[in-house]
Amino acid sequence: MKLRLGPAPDGRRRLPHETGMDSGNKINARKIFGVGPALALAGLGAAALVAGCDYFLGARACLPEKALFYSRAAGMILAAAGMLLWADSVRLVLKGSRENRLITTGAFKLTRNPMYAAIMLFIIPGGALILNNLLFILASAPMLIVFKLLIGREERRLREQYGSAYEEYAGRVSRLIPGGKRCKSIIQQ
């Protein structure tokens, strides 16, 4: 759920549960940030574990020296694409929360969860290639598990809030992999 400011669409004053604020006018982070904080904790924990293994045990999964230029270039492209996807989705969330509408354009046209996709599928793998330690890709694994376990709650809130508009959107756009439903339909043709 997103932080909504100003009056409700029908002109009445918004109730605390409709704004992302609790009754004491404090921000209700769970409603605003969704599963993001849990994903961040899972990813940071896994990244710390990988960094510890690298530092203390010297455990690395490196590409050969000959491939470094190309792998780092690919990593920079992946990370840059992820940052663009993330930034566009943040911009749209801020705009959509002010307008109290379901966001289905821009990054949300590619995936229903572009911020999470940007981090797990682009930025982390890109960083692993740049650092030449492919074990860092493992940081995405616990994030994907937490995502799979918790995203249903976020989607239920969106179904309650937007009804059939969200159902139609969910039927058309992949949950996480950008263009996933389109690729699947092309393969099945």
Side-chain angles (χ1 to χ4, degrees):
M1 183 174 284
K2 296 158 189 73
L3 179 62
R4 291 178 296 247
L5 306 173
D10 61 3
R12 65 178 173 73
R13 185 169 182 250
R14 289 186 191 276
L15 299 172
H17 73 278
E18 295 175 309
T19 62
M21 308 285 264
D22 68 15
S23 57
N25 283 334
K26 294 181 183 170
I27 292 176
N28 183 335
R30 182 185 242 165
K31 287 185 178 182
I32 293 171
F33 299 116
V35 301
L39 288 177
L41 287 174
L44 287 172
L49 183 63
V50 169
C53 288
D54 181 11
Y55 183 78
F56 293 111
L57 304 174
R60 296 180 68 97
C62 300
L63 293 170
E65 196 71 32
K66 291 178 183 177
L68 284 182
F69 174 79
Y70 298 105
S71 66
R72 286 190 171 139
M76 287 181 203
I77 291 168
L78 270 175
M83 288 182 221
L84 289 172
L85 184 65
W86 186 85
D88 187 47
S89 57
V90 168
R91 178 187 64 82
L92 290 167
V93 164
L94 292 174
K95 182 180 178 189
S97 65
R98 277 183 252 132
E99 298 170 0
N100 191 28
R101 66 175 175 84
L102 178 64
I103 307 162
T104 60
T105 59
F108 289 87
K109 198 177 210 177
L110 303 171
T111 171
R112 296 192 315 258
N113 296 285
M115 285 185 241
Y116 307 147
I119 293 167
M120 291 186 284
L121 304 177
F122 292 94
I123 295 171
I124 290 174
L129 289 170
I130 292 166
L131 296 172
N132 193 28
N133 188 346
L134 301 183
L135 290 179
F136 275 104
I137 292 174
L138 296 176
S140 288
M143 294 175 78
L144 286 167
I145 292 167
V146 169
F147 176 83
K148 185 73 174 157
L149 291 172
L150 299 180
I151 197 64
R153 295 180 199 169
E154 198 168 297
E155 290 182 340
R156 272 191 298 282
R157 282 197 303 268
L158 290 167
R159 278 187 177 87
E160 289 171 9
Q161 186 173 356
Y162 298 108
S164 62
Y166 184 79
E167 288 295 332
E168 187 273 325
Y169 172 63
R172 184 171 36 91
V173 178
S174 170
R175 179 183 268 175
L176 187 64
I177 299 172
K181 290 204 175 182
R182 276 187 235 132
C183 293
K184 186 177 178 182
S185 66
I186 290 169
I187 291 168
Q188 291 175 345
Q189 288 179 352

